[in-house]
Amino acid sequence: MPPKSKKQKTEDEHIAVETAYKKIASHEAKKGDFKRCLLLYSGGLDTSVMLKWIQEEYDAEVVALTIDIGQVADNLDEIKAKALKLGAKDCIVYDAKERFADQLLSEAIKANADYQGGYHLGCPLGRVIISQVAVEMAEKYECQVIGHGCTGKGNDQVRFEGYITTLNPKLKTIAPVREWGMGREEEIKYAEQHGIPVKQKAASPYSYDENMWSNTAEGGEIEDPQLTPPLEKILLWCKTPQTAADQAEELTINFEKGVPTSIDGKEMKLSDMIMSLNKTGGAHGVGCYPLIEDRIVGLKVRGIYENPAAAILIACHKKLEMLVSTREENELKALLDSKWAYLTYGAKWFEPTMSHIRAYINDQNEKVTGWVKVNLFKGNINVVALKSDNSLFNANLATFERSAAFNQNASPGFIELWNLAQKTAHNAYKHSAFRQ
């Protein structure tokens, strides 16, 4: 490549100045504002470099926080040891699996969580519990700032910074990836210079975010909607339908007030049930969705979401809820479920509107008790049978056989009144001026 001309160098310098990161928000901490930072720490390259970089750049102590919400790929003991070796004043490993399941995922099931067609909101829900724990630990360890590893293009920066400053307005945040301007090669070089262990992995264009509710894949062919993602190379939890089990499997799941309590008669904690169903559902290739997605920051993107347990539980819950609810209840619930999903995705967990929606969701779910039998086969989830003491199904009324319980003589009069407004309006407007 020929050397750059003086003009090209000047243009590059101008672009660098134009895109240089400047802190403008009141919650962004500057050097000298704090003495101790709580870092959301995963043990990967980015947050390991951050741990050192914050100590150097901000002349501050770092307390690392690793939160277990059911991610299966991480070795938490190794992560803690690595953080301490890199100079962390302490490394907190917080087990939030049951809290995550009981407080957030139970609500997600009752709300039939679904954003834009198959995403059961694992990442947005995970950011809520991480933010809650982070604020608690920052207060406990007297940290004035919380640091995270999000980029400037994603949703998670909005969630973390929004939730942290909502839960404790006195706390400030830093986002080193937005600040430092390092690419991956520069990060690796920095790591080598500072004795940060870097695991060499086989070249892969895909990045993942995981907790017990979902595994999210991005990058490579996934990014471009014109390309077909090679699922066999991407999926970590789910088989493809072609390679899934050849024998169908049936499960019976019991619900109590909208929350699943047992599988095939075996009572389980919700966190354990979710982890178990991820394995079962993954073997049958269910709950995997490529999704065209609208991000909070205005970008149109594509991701691949593996959420087998979520897909199974929500499919079962939704059918049972419909069985015990009226037509009007089911119509309104679908609208509120959709709004709940958009608010959850859009970093609005603590928005007052959510409290009003929750009140309705919880009230309707008071009667969602019963059992559901579900069949899993080659990527398909089929509810094949269900029963509830609160069921609105009446065999004597619904049967197509002869029945004295349903008075068919009343039907014509009902039809005439039901259709009256439509018939009147259609014929009144048929020859009116605004139809011309």
Side-chain angles (χ1 to χ4, degrees):
M1 180 180 293
K4 291 184 178 181
S5 66
K6 186 176 180 180
K7 181 182 177 182
Q8 287 174 316
K9 288 181 180 178
T10 303
E11 288 176 351
D12 287 349
E13 288 169 1
H14 178 70
I15 291 170
V17 171
E18 287 285 314
T19 58
Y21 187 75
K22 296 178 182 178
K23 297 190 176 188
I24 60 170
S26 62
H27 65 265
E28 292 185 285
K30 298 178 176 66
K31 188 172 182 178
D33 285 352
F34 62 99
K35 295 182 178 179
R36 184 177 296 169
C37 171
L38 183 84
L39 176 64
L40 301 178
Y41 185 66
S42 69
L45 176 64
D46 288 344
T47 55
S48 294
V49 169
M50 279 177 219
L51 205 160
K52 275 290 186 184
W53 187 84
I54 292 168
Q55 294 173 70
E56 289 188 345
E57 185 71 17
Y58 285 96
D59 190 24
E61 296 176 340
V62 177
V63 174
L65 172 63
T66 300
I67 302 175
D68 182 3
I69 48 176
Q71 58 271 36
V72 297
D74 293 342
N75 184 316
L76 301 178
D77 291 333
E78 285 183 5
I79 289 172
K80 180 172 184 176
K82 185 176 183 180
L84 295 173
K85 185 178 179 181
L86 295 176
K89 185 175 179 64
D90 201 349
C91 181
I92 309 152
V93 176
Y94 187 102
D95 186 347
K97 291 193 294 294
E98 288 188 36
R99 182 174 169 183
F100 183 40
D102 295 341
Q103 294 180 10
L104 281 87
L105 302 186
S106 62
E107 182 174 320
I109 294 165
K110 289 192 281 187
N112 299 310
D114 187 323
Y115 179 71
Q116 296 193 329
Y119 182 26
H120 299 305
L121 298 165
C123 189
L125 290 163
R127 282 6 181 192
V128 176
I129 191 71
I130 290 170
S131 299
Q132 289 174 321
V133 174
V135 169
E136 293 166 11
M137 294 301 106
E139 293 169 351
K140 180 177 179 179
Y141 285 80
E142 299 180 338
C143 300
Q144 302 82 35
V145 164
I146 295 176
H148 62 76
C150 305
T151 71
K153 287 187 175 183
N155 296 315
D156 288 337
Q157 59 178 340
V158 185
R159 295 168 182 146
F160 282 138
E161 294 177 28
Y163 291 151
I164 288 164
T165 56
T166 294
L167 293 169
N168 185 341
K170 293 181 180 179
L171 286 170
K172 292 185 179 292
T173 65
I174 57 172
V177 175
R178 287 199 308 236
E179 297 178 36
W180 63 29
M182 284 192 280
R184 190 158 186 84
E185 292 305 315
E186 290 94 337
E187 283 189 64
I188 291 172
K189 186 175 180 181
Y190 182 97
E192 291 170 347
Q193 291 172 345
H194 291 79
I196 301 170
V198 179
K199 288 184 178 180
Q200 296 297 326
K201 296 182 179 179
S204 172
Y206 312 117
S207 62
Y208 297 89
D209 188 276
E210 179 195 41
N211 62 50
M212 71 170 71
W213 198 235
S214 75
N215 187 42
T216 304
E218 297 175 330
E221 302 92 339
I222 301 170
E223 289 184 350
D224 188 345
Q226 298 180 81
L227 301 178
T228 302
L231 294 181
E232 67 281 356
K233 296 180 181 178
I234 296 169
L235 301 183
L236 300 182
W237 289 8
C238 294
K239 299 280 190 182
T240 63
Q242 295 83 356
T243 60
D246 291 324
Q247 185 69 38
E249 185 170 357
E250 278 192 356
L251 305 171
T252 299
I253 301 176
N254 277 69
F255 287 81
E256 182 73 31
K257 295 184 177 181
V259 179
T261 57
S262 68
I263 300 176
D264 293 335
K266 181 181 178 182
E267 292 190 1
M268 306 172 76
K269 293 188 296 187
L270 183 55
S271 57
D272 291 340
M273 182 184 296
I274 291 166
M275 302 286 270
S276 174
L277 284 174
N278 278 331
K279 293 179 181 177
T280 303
H284 291 282
V286 304
C288 175
Y289 305 103
L291 184 72
I292 302 296
E293 172 186 344
D294 291 311
R295 279 191 181 167
I296 302 169
V297 295
L299 299 175
K300 184 80 70 175
V301 299
R302 184 169 68 171
I304 291 178
Y305 296 99
E306 297 176 85
N307 26 220
I312 294 166
L313 292 173
I314 288 170
C316 292
H317 172 270
K318 198 169 186 178
K319 292 295 186 183
L320 186 61
E321 184 179 66
M322 292 185 74
L323 181 70
V324 301
S325 302
T326 66
R327 181 174 183 268
E328 283 71 20
E329 285 180 306
N330 286 323
E331 179 187 20
L332 180 57
K333 181 62 162 46
L335 295 172
L336 292 177
D337 285 349
S338 178
K339 188 61 179 176
W340 182 95
Y342 269 79
L343 288 170
T344 299
Y345 183 91
K348 295 288 187 177
W349 187 258
F350 301 104
E351 157 66 38
T353 305
M354 284 291 268
S355 296
H356 310 320
I357 293 172
R358 284 188 190 106
Y360 182 85
I361 287 174
N362 286 328
D363 184 68
Q364 186 164 342
N365 272 275
E366 282 292 308
K367 57 191 174 187
V368 185
T369 296
W371 58 259
V372 181
K373 185 180 289 186
V374 62
N375 181 285
L376 311 176
F377 185 61
K378 295 287 186 183
N380 294 303
I381 301 170
N382 292 309
V383 171
V384 294
L386 65 170
K387 184 179 185 299
S388 172
D389 290 342
N390 302 320
S391 172
L392 299 184
F393 171 75
N394 184 316
N396 288 329
L397 291 172
T399 181
F400 280 97
E401 302 299 327
R402 286 175 60 90
S403 170
F406 189 91
N407 181 6
Q408 297 188 52
N409 292 323
S411 294
F414 165 77
I415 294 166
E416 185 165 15
L417 294 178
W418 180 258
N419 191 53
L420 181 60
Q422 174 178 261
K423 182 176 71 174
T424 303
H426 177 78
N427 286 280
Y429 299 156
K430 189 161 53 177
H431 303 297
S432 63
F434 81 88
R435 288 288 191 186
Q436 301 303 317

